[in-house]
Amino acid sequence: SLTAQEVQEVQNSVIFKRTASWCGNCGTWGWSLFEGLLNEINQGGIMIAAHYSGDLTASAAKDITDHFGAFSQPRFYVNEIDQSVSSGNWQSKKEDIKGQVQAAFDNTAPVANIGMEAFYHEDIQEVELKTKVKFFQQASGNFRLGLYLIQNDVINFQSGQGSNAVHKKVMRESLVGTSFGQPLFEGTVNAQAEFDETFQFLIPDPNGNLNEIVAIIWDEAANGDYSIINASMVNEFGEPVVNNISEIPSNLADMTIMPTVSENSTNIEVTLSQDFKNVELEIFNVLGQSVLNLSNDNLTEGTHNFEVTKAKIGGAGQYFVRMKIGNQIKTKSLIFK
């Protein structure tokens, strides 16, 4: 784990496993290889289980491994390089991958790296992530910063393991929209240049859900290929520092959801004590992804009703309704059965 104030001058490698819950090999020798790497790599390696198909599919996982040229599963990549692992060589490949990661960590002078510091605002169920990208060498390219939500101990079926398999390092989604991140810098960047940015994500109880955030600096080539410059990870979500984010007082603006547990539809009632500009009312899933935007308009004093259906929101599950007015936020839970 790094902090935004400390960007370590080390080269980390990302080990991707392209996998699927229905894949038998993914749950046998692929499972053993991934677990072995996870237990035996002590530094310099960031593990990601990229489910491109099946119960734990994430679009970012599919996009990234598809872009690497993957055509089957399980496939193992160190950064964007296919390791050509098979059922017959996975044990020797484990040692090879461990050696590559350690050699990069020990011997490679990094072009750049990322520091991160994460805070959890429990009252508004929001993660505040501070990032610092620092270049140690002059470099030219089209650099992008990707941020990905990774979750541990996900109980789900896995062919070869059974119905209650405990999945590690599952890529849930990109936290910044596109699978290969957002623009960071294009052109020639000087050594010692730094880029600071703060992000907010709706991620309920990140510590309890054993979440991690992985940051990757990508370089997009002119032909559309992506290569990994460096990566880092944060898995501790500390107490928030004092900032200007607070919960909306109920006497100023209130939100009622009836019913909070529903089969098909529910009503969200927003009561305002005065006219407000740019009242944002948005619904997020448990991964922190926006699934429905109900309002981004000026709303007058009084009561406003918004009907939400299970079909419109994307199906059964737990969701979070967030109302934002300026720098004040109120969040409530909603469940469709």
Side-chain angles (χ1 to χ4, degrees):
S1 300
L2 305 179
T3 69
Q5 288 71 34
E6 178 189 5
V7 184
Q8 294 185 351
E9 195 170 351
V10 296
Q11 184 65 49
N12 297 313
S13 302
V14 186
I15 301 102
F16 292 93
K17 175 191 178 184
R18 175 179 162 102
T19 185
S21 58
W22 48 261
C23 164
N25 286 334
C26 301
T28 52
W29 63 264
W31 189 275
S32 297
L33 174 54
F34 192 80
E35 290 285 312
L37 292 170
L38 186 60
N39 293 329
E40 297 173 30
I41 293 178
N42 297 316
Q43 58 185 3
I46 296 173
M47 304 285 296
I48 294 178
H51 287 255
Y52 84 103
S53 180
D55 296 341
L56 301 175
T57 300
S59 58
K62 184 178 188 306
D63 290 346
I64 290 170
T65 56
D66 281 355
H67 195 84
F68 290 166
F71 56 88
S72 61
Q73 70 292 313
R75 308 296 298 182
F76 285 81
Y77 295 82
V78 176
N79 297 330
E80 63 276 11
I81 307 302
D82 190 347
Q83 299 301 297
S84 300
V85 182
S86 68
S87 59
N89 68 6
W90 70 267
Q91 291 175 312
S92 62
K93 284 292 183 178
K94 182 180 71 171
E95 300 306 315
D96 183 31
I97 292 171
K98 287 165 54 182
Q100 291 180 55
V101 171
Q102 191 65 52
F105 186 81
D106 290 340
N107 304 320
T108 301
V111 172
N113 203 2
I114 315 109
M116 292 188 288
E117 196 167 19
F119 306 96
Y120 180 49
H121 299 266
E122 186 174 3
D123 55 345
I124 57 175
Q125 298 182 312
E126 188 172 82
V127 168
E128 178 183 5
L129 180 71
K130 296 183 177 182
T131 66
K132 181 189 293 291
V133 175
K134 181 175 182 179
F135 281 79
F136 302 107
Q137 305 176 34
Q138 185 181 79
S140 296
N142 183 7
F143 302 107
R144 303 179 66 88
L145 177 63
L147 298 173
Y148 307 93
L149 181 64
I150 309 297
Q151 197 169 69
N152 283 293
D153 292 354
V154 178
I155 308 299
N156 192 84
F157 168 77
Q158 174 62 54
S159 179
Q161 290 291 316
S163 299
N164 296 312
V166 182
H167 294 258
K168 305 284 189 179
K169 306 292 183 179
V170 177
M171 176 182 276
R172 287 306 202 176
E173 269 306 345
S174 167
L175 289 169
V176 289
T178 64
S179 297
F180 291 92
Q182 67 175 31
L184 179 66
F185 186 86
E186 184 174 6
T188 300
V189 59
N190 294 324
Q192 305 307 311
E194 296 181 351
F195 300 87
D196 295 276
E197 191 159 1
T198 298
F199 302 86
Q200 285 84 33
F201 310 111
L202 185 66
I203 304 177
D205 192 17
N207 291 306
N209 290 330
L210 300 176
N211 288 311
E212 302 170 354
I213 296 176
V214 169
I216 298 177
I217 304 173
W218 298 95
D219 183 15
E220 181 182 6
N223 65 359
D225 286 341
Y226 291 90
S227 57
I228 292 177
I229 301 300
N230 212 336
S232 67
M233 180 269 290
V234 63
N235 60 3
E236 295 180 357
F237 300 82
E239 293 294 324
V241 295
V242 176
N243 61 21
N244 61 352
I245 302 174
S246 61
E247 186 171 11
I248 301 172
S250 295
N251 62 351
L252 191 66
D254 205 5
M255 177 171 58
T256 304
I257 303 173
M258 288 296 292
T260 55
V261 180
S262 173
E263 291 280 355
N264 296 306
S265 67
T266 191
N267 182 70
I268 300 172
E269 182 181 276
V270 173
T271 304
L272 306 177
S273 63
Q274 63 187 62
D275 296 350
F276 286 103
K277 294 183 178 179
N278 298 325
V279 178
E280 298 178 22
L281 190 64
E282 199 165 4
I283 301 180
F284 297 81
N285 62 19
V286 293
L287 304 180
Q289 301 166 307
S290 175
V291 295
L292 185 62
N293 192 315
L294 296 171
S295 172
N296 194 20
D297 299 321
N298 301 337
L299 295 182
T300 58
E301 176 185 353
T303 299
H304 304 265
N305 289 283
F306 302 86
E307 184 182 7
V308 178
T309 64
K310 182 165 67 174
K312 185 183 294 185
I313 208 172
Q318 183 177 17
Y319 298 90
F320 297 90
V321 184
R322 186 175 72 178
M323 177 169 58
K324 184 176 182 182
I325 303 174
N327 290 323
Q328 294 184 308
I329 293 173
K330 185 184 293 289
T331 303
K332 293 193 174 183
S333 176
L334 166 65
I335 295 174
F336 279 111
K337 297 194 292 183

Short mmCIF file of all heavy atoms in Angstrom, two decimals, residues 23 29 35 97 182 267 310 325:
data_model
loop_
_atom_site.label_atom_id
_atom_site.label_comp_id
_atom_site.label_asym_id
_atom_site.label_seq_id
_atom_site.Cartn_x
_atom_site.Cartn_y
_atom_site.Cartn_z
N CYS A 23 -15.62 -22.30 -16.19
CA CYS A 23 -14.44 -22.94 -16.79
C CYS A 23 -13.82 -23.94 -15.82
O CYS A 23 -13.34 -23.57 -14.75
CB CYS A 23 -13.44 -21.86 -17.18
SG CYS A 23 -11.77 -22.47 -17.50
N TRP A 29 -6.15 -26.52 -12.39
CA TRP A 29 -4.75 -26.08 -12.42
C TRP A 29 -4.63 -24.56 -12.48
O TRP A 29 -3.68 -23.98 -11.91
CB TRP A 29 -4.00 -26.72 -13.60
CG TRP A 29 -4.49 -26.37 -14.98
CD1 TRP A 29 -5.34 -27.08 -15.75
CD2 TRP A 29 -4.12 -25.22 -15.74
NE1 TRP A 29 -5.56 -26.46 -16.96
CE2 TRP A 29 -4.80 -25.31 -16.99
CE3 TRP A 29 -3.29 -24.14 -15.53
CZ2 TRP A 29 -4.67 -24.35 -17.99
CZ3 TRP A 29 -3.15 -23.17 -16.52
CH2 TRP A 29 -3.84 -23.28 -17.73
N GLU A 35 -3.50 -19.28 -6.85
CA GLU A 35 -3.32 -19.32 -5.41
C GLU A 35 -1.84 -19.40 -5.04
O GLU A 35 -1.38 -18.75 -4.09
CB GLU A 35 -4.05 -20.53 -4.82
CG GLU A 35 -5.57 -20.42 -4.85
CD GLU A 35 -6.09 -19.47 -3.79
OE1 GLU A 35 -5.67 -19.58 -2.62
OE2 GLU A 35 -6.93 -18.61 -4.12
N ILE A 97 7.10 -16.97 -13.61
CA ILE A 97 6.39 -15.71 -13.36
C ILE A 97 6.91 -15.04 -12.09
O ILE A 97 7.14 -13.83 -12.06
CB ILE A 97 4.87 -15.97 -13.26
CG1 ILE A 97 4.31 -16.38 -14.63
CG2 ILE A 97 4.15 -14.72 -12.74
CD1 ILE A 97 2.88 -16.87 -14.60
N GLN A 182 -8.64 7.12 -17.49
CA GLN A 182 -8.86 8.48 -17.98
C GLN A 182 -7.54 9.11 -18.39
O GLN A 182 -6.47 8.70 -17.92
CB GLN A 182 -9.54 9.32 -16.90
CG GLN A 182 -8.69 9.60 -15.68
CD GLN A 182 -9.39 10.53 -14.71
OE1 GLN A 182 -10.60 10.54 -14.60
NE2 GLN A 182 -8.61 11.34 -14.02
N ASN A 267 -41.06 4.22 -4.72
CA ASN A 267 -41.15 5.66 -4.92
C ASN A 267 -40.12 6.36 -4.03
O ASN A 267 -39.98 6.05 -2.85
CB ASN A 267 -42.55 6.17 -4.55
CG ASN A 267 -42.68 7.67 -4.80
OD1 ASN A 267 -42.69 8.11 -5.94
ND2 ASN A 267 -42.76 8.45 -3.73
N LYS A 310 -37.78 -2.07 -11.03
CA LYS A 310 -36.68 -3.05 -11.06
C LYS A 310 -36.15 -3.20 -12.48
O LYS A 310 -34.94 -3.33 -12.68
CB LYS A 310 -37.16 -4.39 -10.51
CG LYS A 310 -36.07 -5.45 -10.47
CD LYS A 310 -36.44 -6.64 -9.60
CE LYS A 310 -37.57 -7.45 -10.15
NZ LYS A 310 -37.82 -8.68 -9.36
N ILE A 325 -26.49 17.99 -3.03
CA ILE A 325 -26.76 19.41 -3.24
C ILE A 325 -25.49 20.16 -2.86
O ILE A 325 -25.13 20.21 -1.67
CB ILE A 325 -27.95 19.90 -2.39
CG1 ILE A 325 -29.21 19.08 -2.71
CG2 ILE A 325 -28.20 21.38 -2.63
CD1 ILE A 325 -30.38 19.41 -1.82
#
